[in-house]
Structures are given as C-alpha cells and as structure tokens.
Amino acid sequence: MGLTVHGTVAPGYEAVLEEFAAVEPGAQLAAYVGGRQVVDLWAGDGVGGDSLTGLYSSTKAAAYVVVALLVQEGALSLDRAVSGYWPEFAAAGKSAITLRELISHRSGLVNADGGFTVAELADEELVAKRMAEQRPLWRPGSAYGYGGFVIGAMVGEVVRRVTGHSIQQLFEERVRSPYELDLYLGLPEELEPRFLEVLPWIATPEQEATFQAYYPGPDSVAGMGYNLNAMPPFNPLEFANHRVVRAGGPASAGGVGSARGLAGMYQAILDGLLDPYTVAEFATIHSTGGDLVGGPAVSYALGFQAKGLEYRCLSAYAFGHNGSAGSDGFADPRRGIAYGYTRRRAAFGYSAPENQRLAAAIAEAAARA
C-alpha cells in the first residue's frame, strides 16, 4: 500500500510530488519559486501541514537572520573583535577573534570542557559564560569546526550585549511575528498540542555497527562538537523532545517549526527582509576544505551552510542550514527558490539524502517554468 501524500503542488511541479511520495513516512515539504508557493506537501501518521517538530540545527538560520539584520543596520561589525562587544570573551587567548571568525566556525570553540546537560544548554547565558572561559581547541582562524550546540549562545551573547535583547526576542519581534511564520525560538505552551516528538531513526544491525565503528570519542574534537563529552551521556536526537528546550528555544538547536515556517523565513529574506548586499555578504563562502567536527563535505558561508556546494542543482549563492533529524531549509537568490523540509522520524546517521533529490526536482521544475 503506497504512502498517502497530502497537500498541493503547482502545475509543472508534479515530479516533486512523486519524489516526495518515495520518502519514508513522516515529513513535510514546502517551497516557493519566484515568490509564489509551488509546493506544500505532508505525509505520515499524525503529520499535518501545520504540525510542528524539532528543527535542531536548522534553527541556526533564524539566529543568523537576526545577526544579518543587525549587521545591515550597522549595529554589529563583522570584523570587530567579539571581545569589543563582550569583554569577558577575551579570556584564554581569545581577544583577537572577530565576529566573522566566530560565526564562520573558525574560532576554535566547539564546546566547553565537560560538556553541558540538556538543562544547561537551554540556558544560553550559562553556556555563554562557560564558553567565554574556554580555551580554543585550535589556533583561531587556522581551521574551522562546527560548534553545533554552543554557537547560538555565543552569538546570542554578542546580540544581547549590543541590543539589550535576546536573539529569541528579536526574532519574534522582527521576523516571526511580522511574517506570521510557523517557526519559533521558544514555543508558547498553548502550541504544545501541535508539537510532534522526533522519533529515533530505524537502521539495520549492520548499519548501526558501521555507524558505531566511526562514532567519535567523547573528548575528540568531533565528540566535543556534538556534546558527547557531557555527563550524564547526551543523546543529540532527544534534545528537542525536552519541553525545557522548546520553551527556551536555544538558538543553536532548540527551534520548533514546520516546513512552511522554514520556507517562509527564506522567502522573507528573498522578499527584502535583508538587502542584496547583506544577502551577498552572508552567502559568501568562508570555510571550506574540511570541517574538524562535521567532516570534509561540510562548507560554510557566513554562519549559513554553503548550499550551492552541497546541492549542485543550486547557484553558488544559495545558503541555508540543515538539522540533525533531517530538516533543511535554504534560499537561492539567483534562482528565486525558498525551501523548507522537516522529518518526524530522524534520518539515519544524521543525514537525510532525500533533500538532495527534492531540491533537484524543485530546481528542475523551476528551470522549465
């Protein structure tokens, strides 16, 4: 019995529906092309078009939109030392690290010694305080490595020092509410009934054995980047299933939303939320060649992932961010595409390869149109 897919696609985008129907149950997909929504699909038990789920690191894009707005307005300077905004950050040899280096994952800061509990990661001021005391794991600027659970707190502390407001407050006031996005950095309790917990991935014993054989040690650079050095042991895929995380909406990985919300945020950028100069600055590739945490396949623009390198169907100017459970979102300013995808069940190995096929189907249909 085939998977029942709900929703709509615009004429010419039928191949996207076919590709989506081949995905395992429990997903949402939304896309805009040229400012018009052309895809709005969902499938799977319990999944509706307006269901909300954990976005994990797709959350980071929301934080970077706030930073980009402040850069656009001159409140933040990318090439100023972070310690110029946040003096305590200068400890342990970090006085010269710039905001650009921090956001592009070139600071050497992927986690704190000893890691963090779930409750601690939900408290971004606590995370920022400990990261201010932390010594970098490599010479800043010499390499890059993904600070998956701490980058949002560090960038958020800079924002708080400059504006007096949190990233969460600014995102709500300047992005989510004006554009009526189903994407939250701090899920209101009254919306909890719409939240679907992320389910664990399904894998064969052989797949799990291979995955575990390459799993990083807790005190390795990669292990620290995924907070595996924490006690009690930390499960990254359970992170968003904790109410304390959803309520606080930590900017690294605590966002909650839908595919419509993700695509809508990227479309807002294309509609002028960010001016073309700022978009070009944040879409410019900054870190490529080998992520010390995520591996050689991961490249970064300014905070955002360089999606034009990841998805060859897109232009060199595409930018966005994915999440551990398989969510993804991006904007391609040259092709006029805004994309959002979520999964109810986590993708095996933190990778959802169907995004490659779905993005290609949308890009091909857009080109024909």
Side-chain angles (χ1 to χ4, degrees):
M1 183 167 151
L3 176 65
T4 300
V5 176
H6 305 274
T8 59
V9 295
Y13 288 82
E14 293 82 5
V16 180
L17 190 153
E18 294 175 13
E19 195 64 61
F20 183 77
V23 177
E24 67 178 86
Q28 300 169 325
L29 176 66
Y32 293 79
V33 174
R36 177 174 67 107
Q37 187 166 13
V38 296
V39 177
D40 183 26
L41 300 172
W42 63 93
D45 291 342
V47 178
D50 63 351
S51 296
L52 304 172
T53 194
L55 300 178
Y56 297 85
S57 288
S58 294
T59 304
K60 291 180 174 68
Y64 297 139
V65 169
V66 172
V67 173
L69 280 169
L70 296 175
V71 169
Q72 178 172 284
E73 294 163 359
L76 290 176
S77 173
L78 291 168
D79 295 311
R80 184 179 178 185
V82 173
S83 58
Y85 300 111
W86 175 15
E88 297 90 333
F89 186 83
K94 303 194 299 299
S95 62
I97 294 172
T98 65
L99 182 58
R100 186 185 299 274
E101 288 174 322
L102 180 67
I103 296 174
S104 57
H105 301 292
R106 305 189 70 84
S107 67
L109 299 168
V110 302
N111 204 346
D113 294 332
F116 296 93
T117 66
V118 169
E120 287 171 340
L121 286 173
D123 183 346
E124 291 196 305
E125 289 189 33
L126 180 153
V127 174
K129 182 177 185 299
R130 284 186 57 193
M131 293 310 298
E133 301 164 352
Q134 179 69 27
R135 180 169 294 280
L137 296 182
W138 60 86
R139 180 169 56 82
S142 66
Y144 72 101
Y146 182 54
F149 285 97
V150 298
I151 185 64
M154 292 188 288
V155 173
E157 186 64 17
V158 173
V159 169
R160 190 174 69 84
R161 297 293 178 110
V162 170
T163 68
H165 300 284
S166 69
I167 275 183
Q168 289 79 3
Q169 290 170 321
L170 293 174
F171 180 75
E172 174 64 28
E173 294 168 6
R174 303 198 56 184
V175 184
R176 196 211 68 77
S177 182
Y179 290 93
E180 300 181 336
L181 302 176
D182 248 352
L183 201 171
Y184 301 87
L185 300 189
L187 183 67
E189 191 165 3
E190 62 268 24
L191 297 183
E192 275 288 315
R194 291 173 56 195
F195 178 78
L196 299 177
E197 286 197 349
V198 175
L199 302 174
W201 68 50
I202 296 174
T204 66
E206 292 76 18
Q207 286 176 315
E208 282 290 355
T210 300
F211 179 79
Q212 291 299 326
Y214 290 94
Y215 205 60
D219 293 311
S220 66
V221 174
M224 290 182 68
Y226 293 111
N227 197 43
L228 302 182
N229 57 331
M231 287 301 292
F234 180 81
N235 183 337
L237 287 178
E238 291 182 355
F239 186 63
N241 290 341
H242 295 272
R243 173 59 193 166
V244 68
V245 171
R246 298 195 298 278
S252 289
V256 170
S258 65
R260 292 170 180 167
L262 280 171
M265 180 181 69
Y266 287 104
Q267 184 57 44
I269 295 172
L270 298 182
D271 284 341
L273 175 63
L274 300 178
D275 64 38
Y277 178 84
T278 304
V279 169
E281 181 73 58
F282 276 77
T284 298
I285 297 170
H286 278 60
S287 299
T288 190
D291 183 339
L292 299 184
V293 174
V298 186
S299 299
Y300 294 96
L302 194 52
F304 296 96
Q305 293 166 335
K307 289 298 183 181
L309 294 179
E310 182 180 0
Y311 300 146
R312 298 301 179 94
C313 59
L314 304 179
S315 79
Y317 304 92
F319 61 95
H321 216 293
N322 64 13
S324 291
S327 63
D328 205 350
F330 62 77
D332 187 339
R334 290 298 175 95
R335 307 199 67 175
I337 299 172
Y339 174 98
Y341 179 73
T342 70
R343 284 179 59 120
R344 172 78 195 279
R345 183 175 295 281
F348 172 70
Y350 306 112
S351 175
E354 69 268 19
N355 277 297
Q356 188 80 240
R357 301 189 296 273
L358 293 167
I362 291 168
E364 289 167 9
R368 287 195 299 270

